[in-house]
Amino acid sequence: MATVIELPLDTYKGPVSPDWCPGCGDFGVLRSVQEAAGKLGVQPKDLMIVSGIGCSSNLPGFIHAYGIHSLHGRAVPVATGAHLANTDMKVVITGGDGDGYGIGVGHLLHAMRRNLDVTYVVMDNQIYGLTTGQASPTTTKGHKTKSTPVGNAETPLNPLALAITAGATYVARGFSGEAKLLTDLIAGGIAHKGFALIDVFSPCVTYNKVNTYPFFKERVYKLDEEGWDPSNFYKSLEKAFEWGERIPLGVIYKTEQPTYEDSEAIFKKGALVKQPVGADKKIFAELVEEWI
Amino acid sequence: MQEVTIGIAGAAGDGLDKSGDTLAKICGRLGLHVYAYNSYQSIIRGGHIWLKLRIGNEKVYNHGDKLTGLIALNQDSIERHASEVEEGGVIVFNSDKLKCDPSLVRKGVQILPVPLKEITAEIEKVHGALAPIMQNTVALGVMLKLTNLGTEKGNAVLAETFGHKGEKVVELNTSLLKAGYDYAGAKAKAVTGEWKFGNKQHPFTTGNEAIALAAYAAGCKFYSAYPMTPASTILHWMSAHSQKTGIVVKQCEDELSVINMAIGAGIGGVRSMCATAGGGFALMTEAMGMAGIMEIPVVCVEVQRGGPSTGLPTKTEQADLFQVYGASQGEYPRLIVAPRDVADAYQTTIDSFNYADRFQLPVTIMSDLLLSEHHETVDKEAFNPDVKIDRGEIVKEWPENKGKYKRFAFTESGISPRALPGTANTLYVSATDDHDEESILISDMFTSPPIRRKIMEKRMRKMENLLKALPAPTLEGGKDADVTLLCWGSTYGVVREAVELLNAQGVKANYLCIKYIVPFHAKEVTELLSKAKKKISVEVNFTSQMARYVRQETGVAMDAHINRYDGEPLEPMEIVEKVKELLGNKTRSLDVSEAEAKEMAYHYLRTHSLEKLRPIKILKESPNGFGEPTWNIEMAERVSGKKGAAMKIGVKTGAVHHFEKAQAE
């Protein structure tokens, strides 16, 4: 293991300041992503931040790193392609609950099933913020929003349970009001070999008047302070459903499993982008010979 | 040109594609050319399969409209195809199980019943009872004799095909081949003269496989796909050869993922490709615009099949032009190209990777089921591995003191030199929101009409330069023509021959095959077409999409259209006849023809579990209470020949007006 040289926060200071509403939870997430990269000593040129569309998906524009600000719901496949093309870079996907758990949930499931070596930080505000306040896949039942004026009729999706059962190998929950823990969780996710999903309570101060900072501050507790062992699949799954008076923060589930990249022998020759280009004459002749 | 056309008909699961493949490989090795067309259905077993191999001593460009020899593997096949065999031809079948009613057969056609049990008795003594599929090898032996192709190459191909199963299986197959060969020698006459074989061996493959091989030659490193006919055989080839080629192949959860992954890999810096059929492409369209605004090279193969919706999954059509043209919201630079045959599919794919990289844009290669799945022999030289890989303007390094790297620098050419992620001092965001030179968004916080104007112009300038790099289409088949045919894609193969036939019949004809669709050589095409006398489009679709597109781009309208949209590819004589009709100002009838009525009768029998019947007599009757003339079809029982049923099909509408089973006596 090479020695890690930590990098200061301003290494990752982006070209423009975020345009999020004052008090938005996403500010804390941005800072924690930057701190986590610094803690791990990831050079900006080796860091790829990929997002979809939404308030939180603007994050790649606010950080000094390579970025892809892709289509709504498509951050995961775009990140997968970019990652497989250049496995020497660290890929961190950042986005919101609508982007990741709504329109993009199909991709998320399969990326977790593949155990790709990427990190996904979901800024979960339980609302569609950029489109001015409609119900999202994690909006609680009964919550009145612009699109659910008599209260949301649907059961909210449980991203942690979904991740554990789908095959993610690092499943955590953070809160942008708990900065140090969040940085540690993101750093842990990036350092983890395999798919890391970090669901972060990142309150929308403008459109979600239910799941606010005080709402979470009253309820959250830290798993590592209670000696939580995240290695048991079924216990972790049960923990993922803990909600109400007490809501857990921290690494809910963690396991070591072979990644998709491990299963593909081609990656053993190094990052694809650095491999020689063009046909080997002998192999090419063999391939044509199959048709004769 | 010396040529024969062999048809093999049977049910799915009869293994006839393997026999066809063996026959074609034999021909390819003898230096002959083959074009094979498999008219199959979307089922794994059962159904009717009809494989035609047109063999010639010169390059053959389509499956033609002739039939010299028929190998029928079931009774249905004899009844449906026996009458298509031309004078001098032969019908081959296993007479232990099947029989051929001479009334089905044209004059001068040999009927060759093969008593399988009898002629393989000695072989069975050595190898035990034969599996039913073994009859194919005997039939192949028969055909090799009657087409003067010898057994030497056949034995070699069989040895390779069955080598992995051991010597005994090889020996079994070669002796079956010989049994058929010897039997035919004793009982029938050859259907063609002696060949002058070529001295070069020709590879035999499909458009899909040629595209896959080209991707390897062009340095593609990433291929993503979701299974969908008729694009799947690219995935199969890519997967089977992945470790050899070093191309990472990713099967995805859906086509949204497919295209987004391919674009992601393009951003990551490798050459990437994906392929799908029309339905899958419908899911991909939003991402095409993403590649456009992000200026990412990616190659997407869109293989058309019969639409709309699920349509005809295993049938050919050219009806996705407007879908591909209209893909994604907004306006963006891209290349849309339609190769015309297998060799062209290879070269087009290599060129597409280079254009994608040089101009930093998505390329859609439009293929169709016929081009993607039919097999043809190709000159080996067409598959040239020495390809120029032009990755365009890439920033290899950017010293810190050089100032800010601008990913979308406003240049005269419109091309902004691209740094691949991981290059020091070149950080940027690839964004779907519009952006300035430095990749900072101009969509939310800082909107800027002048920057938007300049970046739109920068992107679209690439199209002008791309157009200059593309070769303009030319008229082929003669300069002074009375009629000019317009075509695109795989229809080239049949139009080319139709034009030759027309000229031979004294109708001066030529054709214009459009390959590069976007950007379009409007000036050149306008010039060519405005001088043409009579202009007829030939397309495998209902609405003449290329003709409409050409009119949009040039203002030149076609005088008439030839369309086919029944799922089958066009045939040369069909075009010749229609052109002559149109030149004679005859209007084309859309009535159900007698042959079609027969086919509809077979469909009715199959779908109503009445397969023991077959149509024996078809007569047209004037209006008789159904509001239109009808085809009156008499059905007989296959075994007894007794009257089985009567059916009436509307000549205008094709409606089944009446079906009645005969009363049991």
Side-chain angles (χ1 to χ4, degrees):
Chain A
M1 203 69 188
T3 340
V4 170
I5 303 162
E6 293 197 18
L7 297 166
L9 186 64
D10 67 0
T11 309
Y12 306 99
K13 190 175 156 34
V16 290
S17 305
D19 56 351
W20 294 314
C21 303
C24 175
D26 297 349
F27 284 100
V29 180
L30 170 63
R31 190 186 166 95
S32 282
V33 170
Q34 291 168 321
E35 280 179 354
K39 221 173 134 174
L40 297 170
V42 182
Q43 292 285 346
K45 76 169 182 66
D46 298 322
L47 182 62
M48 173 67 92
I49 310 287
V50 187
S51 70
I53 293 295
C55 291
S56 54
S57 283
N58 286 342
L59 191 143
F62 308 140
I63 183 168
H64 191 58
Y66 280 100
I68 307 174
H69 188 170
S70 77
L71 294 168
H72 195 32
R74 312 297 161 227
V76 168
V78 173
T80 304
H83 166 63
L84 295 180
N86 189 351
T87 38
D88 287 348
M89 292 184 78
K90 287 284 177 199
V91 171
V92 179
I93 308 164
T94 59
D97 43 306
D99 192 63
Y101 303 149
I103 190 167
V105 73
H107 305 309
L108 172 60
L109 268 178
H110 294 279
M112 295 192 292
R113 192 167 69 79
R114 290 176 191 127
N115 197 27
L116 282 164
D117 189 12
V118 298
T119 304
Y120 193 177
V121 181
V122 180
M123 287 157 263
D124 187 353
N125 57 16
Q126 300 169 265
I127 200 85
Y128 281 93
L130 190 63
T131 51
T132 70
Q134 301 82 7
S136 93
T138 48
T139 298
T140 44
K141 216 166 187 172
H143 187 158
K144 288 182 181 171
T145 72
K146 270 191 192 161
S147 60
T148 56
V150 295
N152 180 26
E154 297 172 12
T155 304
L157 189 132
N158 184 327
L160 303 180
L162 186 76
I164 294 167
T165 51
T169 48
Y170 180 101
V171 181
R173 183 191 275 138
F175 171 37
S176 57
E178 287 287 354
K180 195 185 164 301
L181 174 67
L182 183 57
T183 300
D184 289 346
L185 292 175
I186 294 172
I190 296 172
H192 172 76
K193 195 164 160 277
F195 196 95
L197 178 82
I198 301 147
D199 183 69
V200 184
F201 296 137
S202 179
C204 174
V205 294
T206 309
Y207 295 108
N208 190 338
K209 304 296 186 192
V210 176
N211 309 101
T212 57
Y213 281 101
F215 173 90
F216 289 112
K217 286 215 162 120
E218 281 166 24
R219 291 169 171 83
V220 296
Y221 72 96
K222 291 176 189 163
L223 284 169
D224 58 353
E225 287 174 2
E226 303 198 355
W228 174 251
D229 170 14
S231 68
N232 186 299
F233 180 87
Y234 293 103
K235 283 187 178 160
S236 295
L237 191 55
E238 208 178 325
K239 186 57 82 182
F241 284 97
E242 192 174 304
W243 188 268
E245 294 307 302
R246 272 166 65 78
I247 301 174
L249 297 181
V251 179
I252 306 264
Y253 180 61
K254 191 180 174 193
T255 180
E256 299 293 327
Q257 298 291 333
T259 61
Y260 169 75
E261 300 84 320
D262 290 334
S263 72
E264 177 52 82
I266 295 168
F267 292 121
K268 295 197 169 59
K269 294 178 215 149
L272 280 186
V273 74
K274 291 170 189 168
Q275 292 188 21
V277 171
D280 174 280
K281 298 269 164 61
K282 192 172 151 279
I283 291 172
F284 187 92
E286 282 169 24
L287 295 171
V288 174
E289 204 57 36
E290 288 180 11
W291 297 335
I292 297 176
Chain B
M1 176 173 75
Q2 183 182 350
E3 63 169 286
V4 291
T5 302
I6 305 302
I8 311 178
D14 279 348
L16 54 81
D17 48 341
K18 199 77 219 166
S19 305
D21 202 46
T22 306
L23 179 56
K25 275 195 169 179
I26 293 166
C27 296
R29 289 183 184 197
L30 291 167
L32 300 178
H33 278 283
V34 184
Y35 188 106
Y37 172 64
N38 191 354
S39 166
Y40 67 101
Q41 278 121 26
S42 181
I43 43 173
I44 306 306
R45 281 187 177 272
H48 182 66
I49 304 265
W50 179 222
L51 176 68
K52 265 173 93 173
L53 292 107
R54 186 178 180 194
I55 302 160
N57 61 349
E58 291 169 28
K59 172 85 182 154
V60 273
Y61 289 91
N62 58 69
H63 60 291
D65 34 29
K66 299 189 175 72
L67 187 62
T68 328
L70 168 67
I71 299 176
L73 299 177
N74 58 23
Q75 197 58 43
D76 187 43
S77 301
I78 295 180
E79 281 155 19
R80 296 175 75 179
H81 299 293
S83 64
E84 294 168 38
V85 179
E86 294 172 339
E87 196 178 332
V90 66
I91 298 165
V92 179
F93 56 94
N94 175 358
S95 57
D96 296 348
K97 287 184 190 158
L98 315 174
K99 53 183 182 178
C100 180
D101 182 346
S103 72
L104 293 170
V105 176
R106 291 196 212 173
K107 242 184 160 166
V109 172
Q110 309 176 72
I111 299 177
L112 180 59
V114 180
L116 195 78
K117 203 83 194 156
E118 187 188 317
I119 69 166
T120 58
E122 290 304 312
I123 299 170
E124 283 200 304
K125 275 185 200 160
V126 181
H127 293 276
L130 299 178
I133 205 162
M134 293 294 178
Q135 65 171 337
N136 300 4
T137 313
V138 178
L140 186 64
V142 170
M143 225 26 119
L144 287 180
K145 178 68 196 176
L146 301 183
T147 51
N148 280 323
L149 294 171
T151 53
E152 182 203 337
K153 303 285 181 194
N155 286 335
V157 175
L158 290 174
E160 284 161 35
T161 309
F162 296 105
H164 68 284
K165 292 187 176 174
E167 242 171 71
K168 206 150 184 257
V169 179
V170 173
E171 205 241 321
L172 166 64
N173 277 278
T174 50
S175 44
L176 289 169
L177 193 80
K178 186 170 182 305
Y181 194 86
D182 293 345
Y183 182 77
K187 299 282 180 182
K189 295 195 305 274
V191 294
T192 186
E194 293 293 332
W195 297 91
K196 193 177 171 300
F197 296 127
N199 49 9
K200 277 193 211 158
Q201 300 197 328
H202 303 306
F204 177 69
T205 191
T206 64
N208 271 356
E209 294 192 335
I211 286 172
L213 180 72
Y216 170 51
C220 177
K221 291 281 175 212
F222 185 84
Y223 178 77
S224 50
Y226 183 84
M228 189 168 187
T229 304
S232 298
T233 54
I234 301 181
L235 172 62
H236 300 165
W237 191 95
M238 284 288 193
S239 302
H241 300 95
S242 167
Q243 296 308 312
K244 264 193 176 183
T245 59
I247 299 171
V248 169
V249 179
K250 192 75 216 77
Q251 183 182 331
C252 300
E253 57 275 15
D254 54 37
E255 285 88 351
L256 300 165
S257 184
V258 168
I259 184 76
N260 281 283
M261 248 190 229
I263 293 169
I267 296 170
V270 300
R271 285 191 158 184
S272 67
M273 184 171 91
C274 61
T276 185
F281 189 82
L283 297 184
M284 293 184 172
T285 54
E286 187 188 21
M288 296 306 289
M290 172 169 83
I293 198 166
M294 286 182 173
E295 305 195 45
I296 298 303
V298 67
V299 176
C300 176
V301 184
E302 204 264 18
V303 190
Q304 302 167 89
R305 70 185 205 192
S309 196
T310 309
L312 301 173
T314 61
K315 294 287 171 182
T316 198
E317 202 162 81
Q318 300 180 291
D320 294 353
L321 177 59
F322 289 150
Q323 168 174 249
V324 173
Y325 179 68
S328 193
Q329 68 274 32
E331 298 156 315
Y332 59 99
R334 73 271 177 68
L335 171 62
I336 301 173
V337 57
R340 59 195 202 175
D341 62 19
V342 173
D344 193 33
Y346 178 82
Q347 193 54 48
T348 298
T349 305
I350 287 165
D351 296 343
S352 293
F353 275 103
N354 285 338
Y355 291 132
D357 262 342
R358 282 172 59 196
F359 296 93
Q360 300 178 22
L361 42 71
V363 177
T364 306
I365 299 175
M366 291 196 73
S367 179
D368 55 57
L369 185 136
L370 181 66
L371 174 57
S372 71
E373 291 203 335
H374 90 267
H375 280 74
E376 72 179 64
T377 48
V378 177
D379 278 329
K380 208 172 170 183
E381 289 70 32
F383 299 129
N384 178 11
D386 286 315
V387 302
K388 188 173 164 235
I389 294 174
D390 185 349
R391 299 230 49 195
E393 294 179 53
I394 302 260
V395 175
K396 292 250 166 59
E397 53 184 346
W398 191 271
E400 212 173 345
N401 58 14
K402 206 175 165 183
K404 170 97 180 129
Y405 164 71
K406 294 173 180 172
R407 167 63 186 94
F408 302 103
F410 292 169
T411 59
E412 214 174 306
S413 66
I415 298 163
S416 318
R418 187 162 75 110
L420 305 184
T423 311
N425 310 313
T426 64
L427 302 185
Y428 61 89
V429 177
S430 298
T432 53
D433 285 67
D434 216 345
H435 36 257
D436 67 11
E437 286 183 282
E438 295 178 15
S439 81
I440 291 167
L441 308 196
I442 54 164
S443 51
D444 291 335
M445 217 179 337
F446 316 108
T447 58
S448 170
I451 294 175
R452 160 69 176 186
R453 178 164 79 83
K454 293 324 278 184
I455 195 154
M456 271 300 279
E457 289 165 5
K458 171 201 113 68
R459 279 196 295 264
M460 298 315 277
R461 258 199 311 279
K462 297 197 292 189
M463 293 299 272
E464 296 162 26
N465 292 314
L466 173 58
L467 183 64
K468 284 179 203 153
L470 304 173
T474 54
L475 285 171
E476 296 172 78
K479 271 212 172 100
D480 294 315
D482 292 325
V483 59
T484 297
L485 304 184
L486 173 76
C487 68
W488 62 294
S490 69
T491 305
Y492 155 79
V494 68
V495 165
R496 179 197 160 104
E497 184 169 347
V499 163
E500 281 172 15
L501 292 168
L502 282 165
N503 282 311
Q505 293 181 15
V507 181
K508 284 159 75 183
N510 60 11
Y511 63 99
L512 180 67
C513 183
I514 302 294
K515 176 172 174 176
Y516 295 103
I517 300 168
V518 176
F520 190 73
H521 292 93
K523 189 172 152 276
E524 292 85 346
V525 174
T526 308
E527 245 175 63
L528 293 174
L529 287 181
S530 45
K531 284 184 203 143
K533 287 179 189 155
K534 187 106 176 172
K535 299 170 288 291
I536 301 174
S537 65
V538 185
E539 301 183 53
V540 184
N541 57 33
F542 187 87
T543 53
S544 310
Q545 296 188 12
M546 182 53 83
R548 285 166 189 258
Y549 180 67
V550 166
R551 187 172 62 186
Q552 168 191 309
E553 294 296 311
T554 66
V556 181
M558 295 292 115
D559 298 301
H561 310 286
I562 293 172
N563 305 86
R564 186 157 184 173
Y565 39 85
D566 64 354
E568 296 300 321
L570 285 154
E571 292 176 354
M573 276 312 287
E574 176 188 359
I575 297 176
V576 168
E577 277 156 23
K578 284 180 178 166
V579 166
K580 291 200 308 205
E581 273 174 31
L582 290 165
L583 290 177
N585 287 324
K586 275 192 210 154
T587 44
R588 197 157 51 86
S589 163
L590 292 175
D591 287 358
V592 174
S593 71
E594 187 181 332
E596 286 175 321
K598 186 177 161 196
E599 192 57 41
M600 289 164 92
Y602 269 115
H603 172 78
Y604 191 88
L605 296 177
R606 266 202 315 273
T607 53
H608 291 76
S609 304
L610 294 163
E611 280 174 303
K612 58 177 196 251
L613 301 180
R614 68 177 170 96
I616 53 161
K617 208 157 133 197
I618 304 178
L619 283 173
K620 199 188 260 184
E621 196 183 331
S622 304
N624 49 10
F626 296 108
E628 59 178 328
T630 55
W631 287 109
N632 294 354
I633 304 166
E634 204 179 303
M635 315 268 192
E637 283 186 6
R638 279 185 168 168
V639 183
S640 64
K642 272 193 288 190
K643 191 167 190 269
M647 184 176 187
K648 283 181 198 290
I649 293 173
V651 170
K652 296 272 173 224
T653 63
V656 175
H657 287 306
H658 176 78
F659 182 88
E660 192 180 13
K661 278 180 87 172
Q663 296 298 316
E665 282 167 25

